[in-house]
Amino acid sequence: MSNTGAILKDNLWTSNPIFMQILGICSALAVTNLLVNTMIMTLGVVFVTAMSSFTVSLIKQLIPRKVRMIVQTLIIAFYVIIVDVLLRAYLPDISRALGPYVGLIITNCIIMGRAEAFAQSNPPLASAWDGATSGFGYMAVLLTIAFVRELFGFGTLFGYQVLPDAFEPWIIMVTPPSAFFLLGIIIWIGKTIMNREGAPA
Amino acid sequence: MSGAPMINPFSLFFASIITSNILLANFLGMCSFISISKDMKSSSGLGLAVTVVLTVTTAINWLLLNHVLIPLNLVYLRFIVFIIAIAAVVQMLEMIIDRVSQALYLNLGIFLPLITVNCAILGVSLFMEIREYTFFQSLVYGLGSGLGWWLAIMLLSAIRQKTEKSKVSAGLQGPGLTMITIGFMAMAFIGFSGMLAVQ
């Protein structure tokens, strides 16, 4: 596939699902208080997006157009259940910390969006790649937010203390508003750079 | 996740509207929130639709969970069952509203398809399951969350009408500024959580 690089750049940057399309932030912000949680959650999203795009593309000829939304939802739900069961079995603590947000991957607009916009009209492997890279775009933004929140909110990174004891944690970084502020700032920076490049916003 | 049965329904109701606002504290229902909140009239229509659907689906999902899934030991299927129940309720509401009142259908009907994929609806059902609410608590929680969402989207659309006209840096315009506005709203709402909190 010659366009794999183009898809990668597109999904990671020029049409990054979060800061260009403002999709999928529902479940995005709640898990960004700790890097570990964010990592696991976004890996789940990458897996589900890639696999559901792959499956949708594979059986697109078989699905009647009228019911394709509900079929896509069921395919997505199927993969989310796999993620949920695996988390419960192998990482019960993280599963508990993520709470309902694993289930909410189902309603993550990115996954449905990729299935609808790309997988419907492309071969399975390209669709899986497109889904995975969209997931990576999502992961990049969330990890950035989580990095700032965990560093200033707890003074740690991935649970290891990096800031000295004298550092006073910023309570605001632990609370929900900080996630909104950080996302707003990331969108701001991203768009400003993009405007400068002259790319269509 | 403290023992849910201790929370009395009255405080649960107010907590779910304000201090544990489903949108501002739990980040649910953001997708349609951002795109619709440009316009006040649509916001109020969508808010009403979300409130109705949330109340009904939380009750139905509670019944499904406690009387079908748990007895049959199929709890791991809950995601699929919940989402199908939500889609069915939305579809049914659409048909009923279409029959009962054309005017209401024009105001509300167009928002209903959006709601199936609104994370707030599924999120409330999942919280209801994790916190082990009773039936009545679930009903109150669903209604309160819907009203809270409605309140938040009305406030945001009112603020956005003003900020549309203000001069900000080009990169900040639109979604960036909206996110920061939501941040301030969240601070105001969560500021009361010392008085009343449901975790």
Side-chain angles (χ1 to χ4, degrees), chain B residues 122-188:
Chain B
L122 183 63
V124 166
S125 287
L126 293 175
F127 271 122
M128 170 272 285
E129 182 225 342
I130 288 176
R131 295 177 186 162
E132 297 173 348
Y133 285 149
T134 63
F135 181 69
F136 186 61
Q137 278 175 325
S138 309
L139 206 58
V140 168
Y141 181 59
L143 177 64
S145 301
L147 291 175
W149 199 89
W150 195 357
L151 177 66
I153 196 170
M154 290 304 286
L155 289 176
L156 181 66
S157 67
I159 297 175
R160 278 186 80 173
Q161 281 188 340
K162 302 276 180 205
T163 54
E164 290 286 86
K165 296 188 189 95
S166 40
K167 272 190 187 156
V168 290
S169 134
L172 194 55
Q173 235 152 30
L177 186 61
T178 309
M179 290 313 299
I180 292 175
T181 314
I182 301 174
F184 282 115
M185 281 173 63
M187 277 173 79

Side-chain angles (χ1 to χ4, degrees), chain B residues 15-66:
Chain B
S16 55
I17 294 181
I18 300 173
T19 52
S20 303
N21 188 295
I22 190 81
L23 189 107
L24 298 169
N26 292 319
F27 310 100
L28 296 178
M30 295 289 297
C31 304
S32 37
F33 187 71
I34 304 277
S35 52
I36 297 292
S37 65
K38 279 176 206 144
D39 168 32
M40 200 121 184
K41 201 160 167 272
S42 317
S43 302
S44 97
L46 185 66
L48 177 62
V50 166
T51 310
V52 173
V53 173
L54 255 181
T55 316
V56 177
T57 54
T58 315
I60 289 179
N61 283 342
W62 189 89
L63 293 173
L64 282 173
L65 179 71
N66 286 283

